[in-house]
Amino acid sequence: MLPTTNPAPPFAITRSSHVRMQVTDLERSRDFYRDVIGLVVTEETEDAVYLRGWEEVAHHSLILERGAEAKALAIGLRVRTDEDIVKAEAFCKQAGLRHERIELDHQGPTLRFVDPVGTHMELTSSMTLVERKHQRFAEFVAGAPQRIDHYQVATHDVQAATDFWTSIGMRLAEYTAKDGTDELWGTWMEVKGNTHDLVYTNGRGPRLHHFAYTVPDVSALMHAADVAGDLGFGDEIDRGPGRHGISNALFLYLRDPDQHRIELFTTHYQFIDLEDEPMRWDLSNAKRSQLWGMPATRRWFYEASEFPDEPVLEPLLQAAPATLEDVLGVH
Amino acid sequence: MLPTTNPAPPFAITRSSHVRMQVTDLERSRDFYRDVIGLVVTEETEDAVYLRGWEEVAHHSLILERGAEAKALAIGLRVRTDEDIVKAEAFCKQAGLRHERIELDHQGPTLRFVDPVGTHMELTSSMTLVERKHQRFAEFVAGAPQRIDHYQVATHDVQAATDFWTSIGMRLAEYTAKDGTDELWGTWMEVKGNTHDLVYTNGRGPRLHHFAYTVPDVSALMHAADVAGDLGFGDEIDRGPGRHGISNALFLYLRDPDQHRIELFTTHYQFIDLEDEPMRWDLSNAKRSQLWGMPATRRWFYEASEFPDEPVLEPLLQAAPATLEDVLGVH
Amino acid sequence: MLPTTNPAPPFAITRSSHVRMQVTDLERSRDFYRDVIGLVVTEETEDAVYLRGWEEVAHHSLILERGAEAKALAIGLRVRTDEDIVKAEAFCKQAGLRHERIELDHQGPTLRFVDPVGTHMELTSSMTLVERKHQRFAEFVAGAPQRIDHYQVATHDVQAATDFWTSIGMRLAEYTAKDGTDELWGTWMEVKGNTHDLVYTNGRGPRLHHFAYTVPDVSALMHAADVAGDLGFGDEIDRGPGRHGISNALFLYLRDPDQHRIELFTTHYQFIDLEDEPMRWDLSNAKRSQLWGMPATRRWFYEASEFPDEPVLEPLLQAAPATLEDVLGVH
Amino acid sequence: MLPTTNPAPPFAITRSSHVRMQVTDLERSRDFYRDVIGLVVTEETEDAVYLRGWEEVAHHSLILERGAEAKALAIGLRVRTDEDIVKAEAFCKQAGLRHERIELDHQGPTLRFVDPVGTHMELTSSMTLVERKHQRFAEFVAGAPQRIDHYQVATHDVQAATDFWTSIGMRLAEYTAKDGTDELWGTWMEVKGNTHDLVYTNGRGPRLHHFAYTVPDVSALMHAADVAGDLGFGDEIDRGPGRHGISNALFLYLRDPDQHRIELFTTHYQFIDLEDEPMRWDLSNAKRSQLWGMPATRRWFYEASEFPDEPVLEPLLQAAPATLEDVLGVH
C-alpha cells in the first residue's frame, strides 16, 4: 500500500540540510570536495572541515570528520523552529526511537535519532549565518554546487522507512514497485517542494548510498567531470553523465577518497500541489534509472556507506534491477 | 520598518500558480506564447487559450482571454486545500477587501479578491491534472519554460502592499530601499521556498509589470532569444539577457503582441530557513538591477499592464532608478 | 616512423564533405537522422535521402541510399577546384588505385577511388548551393548538428593508410602508438585546420567506424541524448556523453537503425601552424580515449560498417585497448 | 564592385595570430586579461606581458606592452613558412608599402608593414611552442578563451582595404553595403576557413575596433560576464550578450582598463568551398548587427584604438548605422 502523508505532523521538517561523513584522511577529503567537487570551505578545525554550496548562507551542509574508518555519521534535516526540536524529542521518546539532544558548534538546538530502519539522523533548527557566495562568480570552482538537496539510503525495508517518514510529514513524489505488485522497491520523498529530500531504495541497509548537491546547469555538470579528469579523479566518476527517469535529474556521481558517493545534478521539478499523484515506475522499466544509455554498474547499485555500529540487514524484497554487468553478459 | 511575516497566517498560500491576461488578438497571442516563448497549449476554447510549462501537471499557468483591450485580469496563487479557500473568503470579508467566489473550468474552488493596493488576485486550491511533459524532450520549443514562478507588480505604495502580504504569510527575501532610509522601493516576497512569488516595486499602480517562467539553463534562455529573432520578435526583447543582483536571476524579458511582459529566467536560490535575513539593496546601487551591463530602458521601468477598471495611482515615494536613457544622456 | 606531410600534394583536398550510407529501410533511417539526430532533409528521391547540417550551404553531407544490406558506400572529401579532380584522376592512374569518374546529382566533377587499405572514397569539387539555415533557430531539432566534420575508419594497416594520406597532403594532429614503439595504432589526420578530417585506427578493416557532426555546445549534445531517449532510441546511444583525450572532443555516439554509427561532438581545437607537433598517446593510456569515466564497450570498439565487396582483413598490429568488459571483468 | 580573391597570392597567410597592445598600466591590464577575460599568462617581462588562449600552443596571441599612451601597436597574422616572410617582404617593397624586418622574442622571422589604409600589421611564420592547456580544466578562469580568432578595423576606405587584402589572398565571407548600391560599408574577410580573420568597417580610421577570442559555449560567455560583474568590471561590458546576424557570432564585448575592446564569442561557421558566395547585408538591415535586442551604443560604434603616429582620416562613405541613442531618441 502506498503510505499517505500526515497533514499534521508532530514537528515541522523543512528541508535536507547537512550530512556528516567520517573520513580517514581529512586533508585529502577536504581537497576532493573543495577542488574536484567545488564546494566552499567555511571552516577547518583540527578534526573537522565544514563545507557548503555557493548559495548557502548556513554555515555548513557537509561536515568531514576525521576517523579511523569511513562512515556515514548522520543525515541532517532542518526543522522550522527551536520548538520543533522540542516536539521532535518528545515524538522520539513516545515512539521509542533511540535519540539524544546534543550541542554542536554552529548549530542551534540539535537532536540525533535513529529511524525505524536504522538511519542515523540529525535534526537542527538553525545554523550560524555566513556569506551567501552565489554572486562570487570569479571564485567558482569545478561544478560550483549551489546547495545540498537530498539523500539516498539503502534499506532492508523500504515500506517501513516510507511509512515512518510519511507519518511525520514527508510526501511521496515518485516510487518504484515490483512489477504487478505494490511491493515498494524505492521511494522518493520530499518536504521542500520538489521531487526529493530523502530516498529509500531496497538493499542491504541501512547504508547511505549518496548525498546530492544541485549544480547550475549541464555545463557545470560537465565541467565537474572534466575537472575530475584533470585532477586525477576520472576513475572516481561512478556513473553518468546521464538522465534519470525518476525525478528527471541530469546526474553525475563521484566517489570520494573513502568511496563515499556524492551526486551532482540539475533539473528536478517542483512538487507542491496536493492533487499531484506520486509517479509509479515498474522495477523492470529501465527508464526509471536512465532515460537513455547503459545502466549503472554493480558498484553503483551495491556499494554504500555504513553508519557506525549499525547492523546491516539483508533486504526483505528480493528484486534486483538490471546492472551494466547483466547487460554486458558478465557472469 | 521592515514588515515581519505572520507565522500563523489566516490561510495557507503555497505558490504562484497562474496568470490571466486579456489579449486583443487571441490567435496571435497564442502563437507568440507557443512558438516564441515555447509554452505548451493545454486547451483552446472560442475565447480563451490555456497554456502551461513543460513540467507543469496542473491544467494551466497562463490563460489568454479574448477582449477589446489589453489587460491583466488576475494574478493567481495556490492555497493548500479547499478549506483554505473558505478561510480566505472569511478573511477578505473581515478585512473589508473586495472579493467574490467564482466557478471556473479546470479549477477547484476559486476566490477573486483585490488586495489593499488594488492588485487583482485569484486564489484556487486545485486544478485538473494533465500530462507532465518534462520528459517530452523531442517536443520542446524555444526556451522550453518549465513552470510559472513569480509576478512583479508596480504599486503606488510598496509599504502597504508588503505589510498586507507578509501579514498573510509571505516572507521578504530581498528588498530595495531609498538610500539612508527605511522607505521601501521594492520588495521580493516568497512563500514556496525560493526568492520570490510576488514582487512589488514603486511606481504608478497597480499594474502588472511582468509574470515569470523558469527555463532550464542559460542555453535555453539564449535559444529563446534566437528563436524570437528568427520569428520576427527580436524587437520585443525588452531587456537582457542579463543578471539581476536581486535574486541572482539570469533574465530575458519579452513583450507579447499586446505589450504584456514575460520574463524567462534561471538560477534564483533557495530561501527556507527562518534565520535567513532579507537582503537589502540601496536604490542607488545599480547592481541590484544588473550585476553587469547597462540599465533597463524607461520602457522597461515604466510600462506595465493595467487591471480592468482599477484606477492607477501616482507612487507615494519619489525615487527614480537610473534608466538607460539617463545613462546615455537622453533629456 | 611518423609519416610527414607532403607540402606539395598532387591535388588539393580541403575538407571532409559527405558520406554515402546504404540503408535497408530508407524511411526509418530518414526519420532517425531528421528527428533523433536533427539533420536537415534537403531532398528526397525514390531511393535516396539527402541531408545536411544547419550551417551547411552545400546540398548534402549525408546521403542515405536504399539497399538490401547495410553498407558504407563512400566517404566524401572536397577538393578545391574542378582541376583538382582532373589531377586526382591522373594521380590514381599513376598510383594504380582503383578509380572511376562518375556523374552524380547535385555534385560537380566527382571521382571515386579506393585507397591502399581499401577505403572507398569519393572526391568532388562542388555541390549545388542551398539555404544556409544556421539562423533558422525556430526550426532546430535535437542536437541541431552544424556540419559534417570527420570520419573514423578501422584498418588492418594504420601505417599504410597514414603513409598514403600524408603523402597526398593530410597532416597528423594526434596519434596512438603501442607503448615503447613507433607502431601506429591510430592516426588523426586533418586538412581543414583543426584536429581531424580522417582517422584510421587498428582493427579488422576497411570498415567505417563512424562519421561525425559538430554540435553547438554541451547543451545541444545532452539535448540530443534526451531526444534519443524520448523517441525510443535511448539504447542506441553507443557511448557517452564523455570527453576524449585525443582531440578534446566532448562526444556522444549513436547507432542508426542499420547500426551505422554517428558521432555528435563539440570543442576540438585549431591546428594550423607548421611548427605544431602531432601529439602522441600511448595505447595503454586510457585517457586517450576518455579523460574520465569508463572505457567504451567491445561493441563500440569492434563493430563498424563494411564497404561493398571489399574484403575485411585482420589487423597487422596485435594490440587491444581495454574495453568496458575488460574493466568489469567479463570473460 | 565586390573584390575577388587572388587564387595565387604572393605569399601564404594562414590565420590571425597575435595582437600587440600598448597599455598605460601594465599590471592592471594583465590582471584584467588574466582574471576577467581568463587568458593564460605565458610570460612576463619588465615591460611586457604575453598571454594566450587555453588551446593555443603558440607562445602568445596577446602582447601587452607598457607605454605612455593607449595604442594598438600591431595586428598579427601568421604566414605558412619562413619563405613566406621573404616573399611578403619582396611584395611590400614592390607595392611601395612601409615595411620593416624585425627580431622579436619568441617569434620566428617577422615583418612589420602598413597596409594601404594605414593598418599596422605584423607577420610571422612561427612562435616558440608552449603547453597546450586545453585540458587543464581545473585551471580555467572566467570565459576560458580558447584562441584568438579575428580583428575588426575601422577605416576611412573599406573598398581600398578590401581590394588590398583580397588581392593577397583573403576571401570575402560576408559584407555590408549601402542600400541599393555597391558601396561597401563593411567587409568580413577570412583565410582560415571560417567567417572572418580580418574585418574592415567604415569609420574614422585606421583604428582597431576590437580583437576577438572564441569561447567554448554560451555558458562560458555568460560566466565571463558574471565574473566581470563580480570583479568590478560590469560597466566595461560594452555590448551584449547578443547575436550578430553577420557571422552568427554570439558575442560579448568588454573594454580593458585603457578602453581597448575585446570580443568574446562563439559559433561562427565554416567557410571553405569556393562556390560559397559572400553574404550581403544592407546597411539599413539592423539584423546584420543583432538578430534580436537593441542596437549598440555610439560608444561601441565610434570608439576604437589608434595606431601610433598614424593619422586618422574621415570616412569616404557617409552612412551611419542606427545606434542605441538613435533608437532611444537621444539628441
Side-chain angles (χ1 to χ4, degrees), chain B residues 282-325:
Chain B
D282 281 344
L283 182 58
S284 68
N285 180 358
K287 286 199 164 189
R288 75 183 203 295
S289 194
Q290 62 278 332
L291 284 181
W292 43 261
M294 289 184 293
T297 58
R298 288 178 186 162
R299 179 195 191 212
W300 186 88
F301 273 111
Y302 295 117
E303 294 181 11
S305 301
E306 298 186 6
F307 296 97
D309 302 320
E310 194 67 39
V312 172
L313 306 176
E314 292 300 313
L316 296 179
L317 178 62
Q318 295 308 316
T323 66
L324 182 55
E325 286 85 351

Side-chain angles (χ1 to χ4, degrees), chain A residues 225-226 229 234 243 287 292-293 330, chain C residues 218 225-226 229 234 243 287 292-293 330:
Chain A
D226 283 333
R243 172 83 69 181
K287 286 200 163 188
W292 42 262
V330 180
Chain C
V218 58
D226 283 332
R243 173 82 71 180
K287 286 200 164 190
W292 42 262
V330 180

Side-chain angles (χ1 to χ4, degrees), chain D residues 114-128:
Chain D
V114 180
D115 83 358
V117 294
T119 321
H120 289 212
M121 305 301 306
E122 184 175 305
L123 303 180
T124 192
S125 52
S126 66
M127 281 191 193
T128 305

Side-chain angles (χ1 to χ4, degrees), chain C residues 216-228:
Chain C
D217 60 19
V218 58
S219 295
L221 197 82
M222 201 61 79
H223 188 51
D226 283 332
V227 167

Side-chain angles (χ1 to χ4, degrees), chain B residues 64-76:
Chain B
L64 304 174
E65 297 190 10
R66 194 192 303 279
E69 290 178 293
K71 292 288 177 189
L73 297 179
I75 292 173

Side-chain angles (χ1 to χ4, degrees), chain A residues 218-219 222 225-226 229 234 237 241 243 250 287 291-294 297 324-325 328 330, chain C residues 218-219 222 225-226 229 234 237 241 243 250 287 291-294 297 324-325 328 330:
Chain A
V218 57
S219 295
M222 200 61 78
D226 283 333
I237 292 181
R243 172 83 69 181
L250 196 67
K287 286 200 163 188
L291 284 181
W292 42 262
M294 289 183 294
T297 58
L324 181 55
E325 286 83 352
L328 294 178
V330 180
Chain C
V218 58
S219 295
M222 201 61 79
D226 283 332
I237 292 181
R243 173 82 71 180
L250 196 67
K287 286 200 164 190
L291 284 181
W292 42 262
M294 290 184 292
T297 58
L324 182 55
E325 285 84 353
L328 295 178
V330 180

Side-chain angles (χ1 to χ4, degrees), chain A residues 5-13 79-95 97 113 123 163-170:
Chain A
T5 299
N6 181 354
F11 55 97
I13 302 168
V79 295
R80 187 162 303 283
T81 66
D82 294 356
E83 181 65 20
D84 287 301
I85 292 291
V86 175
K87 290 178 182 172
E89 189 176 16
F91 168 81
C92 288
K93 190 169 300 177
Q94 185 177 1
L97 297 171
F113 77 95
L123 303 179
D163 287 344
F164 173 75
W165 286 101
T166 54
S167 81
I168 59 171
M170 288 224 175

Side-chain angles (χ1 to χ4, degrees), chain B residues 16-34:
Chain B
S16 298
S17 71
H18 62 289
V19 60
R20 198 173 291 279
M21 304 301 290
Q22 187 165 292
V23 299
T24 58
D25 183 334
L26 185 60
E27 290 69 29
R28 189 163 151 72
S29 291
R30 175 204 57 202
D31 291 354
F32 174 83
Y33 285 104
R34 183 191 60 200

